[in-house]
């Protein structure tokens, strides 16, 4: 039938679903291959994602990672998995201590502010909350126990500065994730900072002995007076909530080394078991083709964009819809395009509600089955969101054609509406579409009111009415005969 060849690019997935052989594949950084997802426990997925370091507002690069993880989680749930998701909050590290001292307040006063801001941010981006948000400062006993185990096993030692270090040379698998060559390490030399580059790979701090720069941030423990290093926090928290081995660990590619490499070393050296089965990393984000940086003036937190008046759901859509393993170039033009795409989805759903009853030709159910197969098959293929969305917009175009020809029955429209809601439980961008139908009389009144406002040069009021009309799907047109309005098509 005409038009259906639009879906040719995903016939493969239609076959898979028809044969009920749908499986999810993920690109595993550990093996650098796409692998079929086999959870430890059937029907369950245990996920750990590195959370924010709460020393500042999260920026759009951070949110790219959090939105990729949100999509991953929503997709697993859509496919019937019971997901347990843990995201840590790093509230003790070099950066939070520095920040609190600079502001002259306690560490917890300083970090509480940014924790609260983080939760506000994820809410406006419609990110599904994790099951657990452990704070590093609440896990000191677990961290101490883990470090003691590593010392007992002979893979950690106390340096002459009284800090405790992980001995990289004692863990033969070191470098497996990031593919760093161990023999290039400066054996025996040590690094005390939380962040360092590959070329500085060396024994890293698990527990940092107190120094005057730490001020009143320290814990008196069996390991001495001090505080944990950043890397050990994630090992302790993930294993506490998810067990010694769990299914998926995510993060940005910049965390692969040293952070994730060190997490593997600490955890596996302590337990003797494999730490994580699937490692998934999202690529970097650029802004207008350049690395995002404060010095280039192209550094944006979510809040910077909201202040400029951008719609958070458009930001969500934009950050989520480039495949997570592709480098992503954030542009303001693409942010506008995202807004248009969301409006198209919402208008389509609105239009479905308006269907008064056309002829059922059987085409709608065929198209719907193709969309489900194509969208699902693409997402099963390492979250191939680009192809999934192409199939969605092709579907909308086809159905709109049938709607134009009055070839969609009320029941079919309701079924398509249900399908759109299922898809939106993955995308999270359509939401509850306002269905109250404006009567033409009301619109005429508003249009007239706006004309009067314009005559009186009340531009603010005129603009407000125009936005109100726009939200009702009404487009205004200035013609020689005066202003006219029409309903915007999906
Ligand atoms: Zn982490």
């Amino acid at each position: 039938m005409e038009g259906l060849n639009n879906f040719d690019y995903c016939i493969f997935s239609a076959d898979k679903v028809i044969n009920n052989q749908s499986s999810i594949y993920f690109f595993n950084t550990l093996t650098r291959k796409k692998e079929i997802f086999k959870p430890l426990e059937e029907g369950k997925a245990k996920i750990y994602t590195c959370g924010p370091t709460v020393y500042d507002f999260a920026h759009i690069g951070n949110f790219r990672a959090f939105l990729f993880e949100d999509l991953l989680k929503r997709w697993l749930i859509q496919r019937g998995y019971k997901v347990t998701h843990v995201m840590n909050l790093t509230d003790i590290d070099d950066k939070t201590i520095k920040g609190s001292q600079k502001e002259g307040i306690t560490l917890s006063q300083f970090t509480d502010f940014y924790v609260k801001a983080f939760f506000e941010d994820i809410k406006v981006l419609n990110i599904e909350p994790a099951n657990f948000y452990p704070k590093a400062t609440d896990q000191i006993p677990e961290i101490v126990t883990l470090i003691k185990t590593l010392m007992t096993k002979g893979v950690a030692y106390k340096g002459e500065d009284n800090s405790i270090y992980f001995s990289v040379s004692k863990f033969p698998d070191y470098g497996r994730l990031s593919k760093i060559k161990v023999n290039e390490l400066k054996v025996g030399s040590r690094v005390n900072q939380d962040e360092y580059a590959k070329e500085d790979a060396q024994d890293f701090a698990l527990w940092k002995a107190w120094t005057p720069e730490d001020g009143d941030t320290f814990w008196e423990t069996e390991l001495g007076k001090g505080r944990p290093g950043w890397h050990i926090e994630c090992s302790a928290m993930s294993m506490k909530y998810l067990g010694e081995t769990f299914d998926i660990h995510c993060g940005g590619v910049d965390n692969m080394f040293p952070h994730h490499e060190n997490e593997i070393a600490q955890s596996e050296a302590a337990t003797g078991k494999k730490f994580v089965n699937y490692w998934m990393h999202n690529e970097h984000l650029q802004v207008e083709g350049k690395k995002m940086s404060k010095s280039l003036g192209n550094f944006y937190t979510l809040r910077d964009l909201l202040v400029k008046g951008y719609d958070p759901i458009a930001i969500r859509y934009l950050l989520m819809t480039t495949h997570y393993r592709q480098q992503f170039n954030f542009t303001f033009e693409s942010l506008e395009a995202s807004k248009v795409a969301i409006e198209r989805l919402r208008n389509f759903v609105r239009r479905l509600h308006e269907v008064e009853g056309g002829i059922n030709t059987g085409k709608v159910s065929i198209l719907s089955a193709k969309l489900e197969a194509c969208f699902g098959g693409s997402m099963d293929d390492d979250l191939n969101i680009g192809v999934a969305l192409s199939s969605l917009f092709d579907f909308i175009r086809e159905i709109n054609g049938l709607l134009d020809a009055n070839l969609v029955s009320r029941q079919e429209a309701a079924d398509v509406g249900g399908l759109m809601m299922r898809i939106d439980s993955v995308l999270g961008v359509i939401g509850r579409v306002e269905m109250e139908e404006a009567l033409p009389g009301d619109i005429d009144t508003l249009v007239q009111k706006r004309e009067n406002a314009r005559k009186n040069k009340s531009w603010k009021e005129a603009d407000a009415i125009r936005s109100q009309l726009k939200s009702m799907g009404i487009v205004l047109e200035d013609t020689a005969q005066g202003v006219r309005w029409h309903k915007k098509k999906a």
Side-chain angles (χ1 to χ4, degrees), residues 359-365 407-416:
I359 302 156
N360 179 338
T361 62
K363 287 180 182 177
V364 172
S365 64
L407 295 175
V408 179
S409 72
R410 253 193 119 91
Q411 183 56 49
E412 287 177 309
D415 292 345
V416 172

Side-chain angles (χ1 to χ4, degrees), residues 30 103 115 123 145 199 211 253 256 437 449 460 485:
L30 260 186
E103 292 195 13
V115 167
K123 196 166 176 204
T145 305
E199 44 281 6
T211 60
V253 70
M256 196 194 300
E437 191 44 47
K449 229 173 121 188
K460 241 187 175 161
W485 62 266

Side-chain angles (χ1 to χ4, degrees), residues 411-441:
Q411 183 56 49
E412 287 177 309
D415 292 345
V416 172
L419 174 57
M420 292 299 291
M421 288 304 103
R422 277 205 301 289
I423 284 179
D424 195 48
S425 65
V426 179
L427 300 178
V429 296
I430 300 175
R432 230 182 59 108
V433 172
E434 221 37 80
M435 287 313 158
E436 281 92 315
E437 191 44 47
L439 295 168

